[in-house]
Amino acid sequence: MHLNLNDHVTWSLLLLIAVVSSFFALAFNYRRFLKISEAPISSIAAAAQGYIELHGTASSQKLLKTHFS
């Protein structure tokens, strides 16, 4: 299939496919955002399985050494 710059039907169809797929991605991500934003804030010790929201500061008694730092 060769796309011609003047082929308005093909470009309109591609634009329609992009808009429809973007709408479904928006709906999916908005639904996931609502699930996460409605989750109660929890500590790491009481964290349940699924969507949760954690706040706090991590600390350690020893210096953590990794290959990345």
Side-chain angles (χ1 to χ4, degrees):
M1 181 174 164
H2 184 271
L3 291 177
N4 188 356
L5 292 177
N6 296 327
D7 188 8
H8 298 295
V9 175
T10 303
W11 287 110
S12 298
L13 182 62
L14 288 174
L15 179 64
L16 178 66
I17 291 170
V19 167
V20 169
S21 62
S22 295
F23 174 76
F24 282 115
L26 173 76
F28 173 76
N29 286 327
Y30 184 69
R31 185 172 170 230
R32 186 172 56 172
F33 168 74
L34 288 179
K35 282 183 180 180
I36 291 173
S37 66
E38 292 174 356
I41 298 174
S42 177
S43 66
I44 194 69
Q49 297 291 325
Y51 291 115
I52 60 169
E53 182 177 0
L54 299 173
H55 285 278
T57 305
S59 63
S60 175
Q61 298 291 335
K62 298 180 185 179
L63 180 63
L64 298 176
K65 293 183 180 180
T66 66
H67 298 290
F68 304 111
S69 64

